[in-house]
Amino acid sequence: SYIKNWLEYKKESVDEVTYQGYELLAESHIIPYFEEHQIKLQKLDVEDLQKYFDYKKRHGRLDGNGGLSARSLRLHRNIIHQTLNLAIKNKVIQNNPCKLVDLPKNERFNSSFYTIDQIHTLFKAAANDELFPLIKITALYGLRRSEVLGIKWDSTDFINKLLTIKH
């Protein structure tokens, strides 16, 4: 499939985690759908793509429990759009029908924060857990999951007692 060509092309220009994300989406969602529906790159049109995104919106979760979020669909569109741009560059197709696809709008996220009492309850409950320092840092600084998972040894300055969130 041409998406595999695009993945090879992208491998050199993105970090390993981004590449693995692209590869996972392509191999678990995009490639199987287009192979199952026997849609060839040269015949791909806006209608085919819109059907793909509409289907994934309703039934896209791999666990079978509903559809994908607007954010996830945008990640899918990014991969397909870039794949089609590479196909144009290589003179396989003449235009990119992905430009005309309608995706759902992002739902507005309503955030909520722990109260002081809730923070104290969390800290008390986790006090004996080996992950307590990580829980405390996460709660106090409002770190996102990706920021916590990105903490590496080079993020830590034990001499100056500093933690830098940079990955």
Side-chain angles (χ1 to χ4, degrees), residues 2 4 6 14 20 23 32 39 95 120 142 150 166:
Y2 208 79
K4 290 182 181 179
W6 175 78
V14 296
Q20 288 174 350
E23 187 177 44
I39 300 170
N95 60 38
H120 287 299
K166 58 184 175 180

Side-chain angles (χ1 to χ4, degrees), residues 11-137:
K11 195 171 200 172
E12 302 302 317
S13 63
V14 296
D15 63 76
E16 184 64 25
V17 173
T18 301
Y19 176 78
Q20 288 174 350
Y22 287 156
E23 187 177 44
L24 179 66
L25 286 177
E27 292 182 357
S28 60
H29 286 275
I30 300 168
I31 294 170
Y33 177 91
F34 288 100
E35 285 179 350
E36 179 184 328
H37 290 85
Q38 299 177 356
I39 300 170
K40 303 291 182 203
L41 179 66
Q42 292 83 354
K43 301 284 186 190
L44 186 65
D45 61 20
V46 177
E47 234 178 87
D48 294 324
L49 289 170
Q50 192 65 58
K51 285 179 186 176
Y52 170 79
F53 288 108
D54 291 346
Y55 174 80
K56 289 293 180 177
K57 182 181 180 215
R58 289 189 315 276
H59 310 288
R61 289 183 47 141
L62 296 177
D63 64 7
N65 291 329
L68 298 177
S69 69
R71 182 181 179 283
S72 292
L73 292 174
R74 280 175 172 53
L75 294 173
H76 287 230
R77 183 181 64 183
N78 182 33
I79 292 171
I80 294 169
H81 192 272
Q82 289 186 53
T83 299
L84 296 176
N85 281 345
L86 181 61
I88 290 169
K89 183 178 177 180
N90 293 330
K91 299 183 180 0
V92 176
I93 60 174
Q94 292 184 342
N95 60 38
N96 190 337
C98 201
K99 292 178 181 179
L100 303 173
V101 170
D102 292 321
L103 294 181
K105 301 283 184 226
N106 283 330
E107 296 92 32
R108 181 155 171 81
F109 177 72
N110 291 321
S111 59
S112 60
F113 303 94
Y114 287 169
T115 64
I116 297 289
D117 290 339
Q118 290 172 323
I119 290 285
H120 287 299
T121 301
L122 172 65
F123 290 169
K124 189 175 180 181
N128 295 323
D129 192 297
E130 63 184 25
L131 293 177
F132 179 68
L134 194 58
I135 293 168
K136 192 170 184 177
I137 289 168

Side-chain angles (χ1 to χ4, degrees), residues 137 141 143-144 146-148 150-151 155 163-167:
I137 289 168
Y141 295 104
L143 299 179
R144 296 176 297 212
S146 61
E147 292 169 326
V148 173
I151 295 174
S155 304
L163 177 68
T164 305
I165 306 304
K166 58 184 175 180
H167 296 287

